[in-house]
Structure formats: C-alpha cells, structure tokens
Amino acid sequence: MIPIDHGIDRFLDRSIVLGYSDLGYRYRRRRWPPDDPGSEALVGRRALVTGAGGGLGEATALGLARLGGTVHLLVRAAPRAEGALRRISDTLAAEGRSAALVVEECDVADLDAVRAFAAGLAQRLASSGAVLDVIVHNAGVLPATRTESADGHELSVATHVLGPILMTESLLPALAGSDLGARVVWVASGGMYAQSLHVHDPDYRRGRYRGAAAYARSKRMQVELIGCMSQRWAPQRVSVYAMHPGWAATSGVTNALPMFTTLTRPILRSPEAGADTAVWLAATSPAPPSGTFWHDRQARPTSYHRGTQADPAQVEVLWQWVQAVGLGDEA
C-alpha cells in the first residue's frame, strides 16, 4: 500500500475532471488497504439496495454480495432485476463464490407503495428472526420534462429524497435490530456542488425546468439532510452517510446525458469503481462517523463555493417540509 498524499488528493478533487474520472479512482485505490473491508465483512448481514437493476445499483449489490451479505435488490418491477441477478450470480460463480439474492418490488417515488413495501419487508424479516443491517439508496431518475409522482411531487425529489427517507423511517424496527448498528448510504452526485438548496421551491414549480438541474437540486437535498437524518435515527443506532460516485459509465448516464458521455467516455469509471465507496461505507470497520459525505473513501466538503453553502436555518426549513409531506410528521 502506498501512503496517500492528501495534497494531491485535494488537487484531484478540486480539479473535478481528474478526481471524478477513472484517473482519480486509479490513483486513490492503490493507496487503500487491500483488506478493507475484509472479504467476509458482511457474512451474516443483510442489505437492501434500491435501483439495483443495473448500473451503480447492480455494482453495489455485487460488491455487498462479494463480502458475504444477503442482498435484496429493489426494482420498480421484478423483470428489471433479471439481468442483474444473472450477471451477479455468474460473476460470483466465476470467482468461486455464491450469492444470497432476493428481488423486491417498489416504486420509491410512490409514498403509499413505499409504506406497503416497508411494512411487508419488516414483517417478513421479523417472522424469520432476521434484521436489516444496510440500506443503500441508489434509485435515481433524471426526467427530461417536469413530471410529478403519484403524490404530486416533482419526480426527482420524490425518488431521491421523500421516498427513501420514508422507507428508512418505516424500516427502523428492522434496522434497530442490527447488533453492530445499521448503516444507511445515500448515493448522491458530484453535480450537487453546482446547486444551492432551494428550500422555498423544493418541488421545482418555479422557473424553467431542467432535468439535470432538478436531479442535482435533489442530490443537494440528500447531502444537506444527512445530519438531520443521522440525529433522528441515532437512538436506533443507525449511521447515515452520503457519497458521490464520480463519473461512472452506466446506461442511466448515457441515456440522460448522451453528449457528456460522448465527451468523457475515455475517462469514465466502471460501475464497480463508482460503487466502491458505497460498499466500503456499508462494510468497513469501525464504522465512519455518521452524518458525513464521502468520495473515494475520503470525507469531503459539501460545498466549495459560498453561493452553494446552506445555513442551518435553510436545512431546518427543508427538514420540516420533508417531515410534513414525506413522513406526515410536523415535529
């Protein structure tokens, strides 16, 4: 293992192109301990990965399964998981491993569907004496035009913020049973660095709608709210993290941002490289400090420019809105 030069690491991070691309990942990974996390870090553990039908979600599920975990792959409809199931199983078989994989169905943007799914999963786990140790909130959308969820919320914020928070809250009994403390990981985006926190228009009802901006705004919400979530769920010993994967080559990125993909294709990371930090946060020991934001296994600032920094009062306004519309809780 080569010691990391934090000055070079910060330079890579600030340069964006170098740090977010495969170049940054290759530089950093040579400096990580080869046994972190250990090869059996998740044996006897259970994880739920949303948006696991391909891309980063599939790569995350593969990484967790490689560490011995039972992995629930959540998709909007079961057929979406067929390819991922086959690829994960084939990869592990080629490595002499096996996987315990379970397919789950839920539209994360539909709050009623989230409540029903979480209640069903919690009941199934309780009846078998099982608990939930990890949730990775990876499900994502990037609508071309403004679209509303079944509950009337802008689809990005419903998928990336309201649904996942409700799901975690509804699964707290299962998470609280984790003997080492459960971990919840949010897959954010480096694109959020370009956005401020729009606390007075979280549903993007004002101004000209742009899908990429809506996506980045909702990712900014995720990152700013991890402290609130960490505090709320601390009594259940649930640690909360956010991370961004850098620039990874996935079908979602290609379909949503074809020009970006064309220009950056030679330096894009693999999905497994993009998912690495999410897997690491789920399995490394000891657990990193809760309420922190990560990229390439290093805690990162949440803002680099004064114009995008959120003050505590703004975060509290947003958190009150999330509790009211997402959790039905005015506290």
Side-chain angles (χ1 to χ4, degrees):
M1 183 181 73
I2 306 170
I4 193 164
D5 184 314
H6 293 287
I8 293 176
D9 180 69
R10 283 192 295 273
F11 169 75
L12 292 173
D13 194 50
R14 305 309 192 269
S15 71
I16 299 178
V17 172
L18 297 176
Y20 292 12
S21 69
D22 191 51
L23 303 174
Y25 174 73
R26 288 178 179 274
Y27 169 79
R28 292 163 178 147
R29 73 174 182 178
R30 294 174 59 226
R31 289 152 175 83
W32 296 333
D35 55 349
D36 180 21
S39 61
E40 297 185 348
L42 293 178
V43 171
R45 307 284 170 192
R46 187 176 299 269
L48 171 68
V49 181
T50 71
L56 291 174
E58 177 184 334
T60 301
L62 172 61
L64 298 173
R66 273 191 173 122
L67 300 177
T70 296
V71 184
H72 295 245
L73 287 73
L74 188 146
V75 290
R76 280 199 297 261
R80 289 175 175 263
E82 290 177 357
L85 278 174
R86 182 179 63 256
R87 289 187 293 269
I88 293 171
S89 298
D90 289 350
T91 298
L92 293 176
E95 297 171 355
R97 310 166 188 257
S98 60
L101 305 173
V102 182
V103 175
E104 307 283 1
E105 288 186 327
C106 181
D107 180 354
V108 176
D110 184 331
L111 300 184
D112 284 341
V114 169
R115 291 186 187 96
F117 161 73
L121 177 59
Q123 183 177 32
R124 280 185 280 134
L125 293 177
S127 65
S128 62
V131 300
L132 189 61
D133 301 281
V134 174
I135 301 177
V136 179
H137 288 301
N138 166 78
V141 294
L142 201 164
T145 59
R146 189 179 184 281
T147 308
E148 292 191 348
S149 69
D151 305 280
H153 297 291
E154 191 275 321
L155 192 59
S156 294
V157 76
T159 303
H160 304 150
V161 180
L162 298 177
I165 290 177
L166 175 61
M167 182 179 294
T168 306
E169 180 88 5
S170 301
L171 288 170
L172 280 180
L175 293 164
S178 178
D179 58 354
L180 295 180
R183 305 183 193 184
V184 178
V185 181
W186 299 75
V187 179
S189 166
M192 69 94 194
Y193 279 120
Q195 291 291 326
S196 59
L197 198 60
H198 293 259
V199 297
H200 299 298
D201 186 24
D203 272 319
Y204 209 151
R205 299 183 186 278
R206 305 171 192 165
R208 184 173 67 89
Y209 183 88
R210 294 182 296 119
Y215 179 87
R217 283 167 59 157
S218 66
K219 295 297 182 177
R220 165 63 70 184
M221 292 181 194
Q222 287 181 337
V223 172
E224 296 294 350
L225 289 174
I226 56 173
C228 300
M229 293 183 279
S230 179
Q231 183 176 18
R232 182 178 177 103
W233 299 325
Q236 287 78 28
R237 296 190 311 130
V238 176
S239 297
V240 184
Y241 311 100
M243 55 76 67
H244 83 80
W247 295 343
T250 67
S251 59
V253 171
T254 299
N255 294 335
L257 302 170
M259 182 60 70
F260 171 82
T261 303
T262 299
L263 294 174
T264 59
R265 190 181 304 278
I267 58 172
L268 289 179
R269 301 173 173 214
S270 69
E272 287 186 38
D276 175 84
T277 296
V279 175
W280 179 81
L281 286 167
T284 191
S285 182
S290 183
T292 45
F293 178 55
W294 298 77
H295 171 59
D296 281 348
R297 303 192 186 189
Q298 178 67 42
R300 305 288 176 182
T302 58
S303 293
Y304 290 127
H305 304 288
R306 182 172 297 179
T308 60
Q309 291 177 349
D311 63 47
Q314 290 177 309
V315 176
E316 181 60 23
V317 169
L318 178 63
W319 183 230
Q320 292 293 337
W321 179 78
V322 168
Q323 291 178 91
V325 305
L327 300 178
D329 177 1
E330 297 290 348

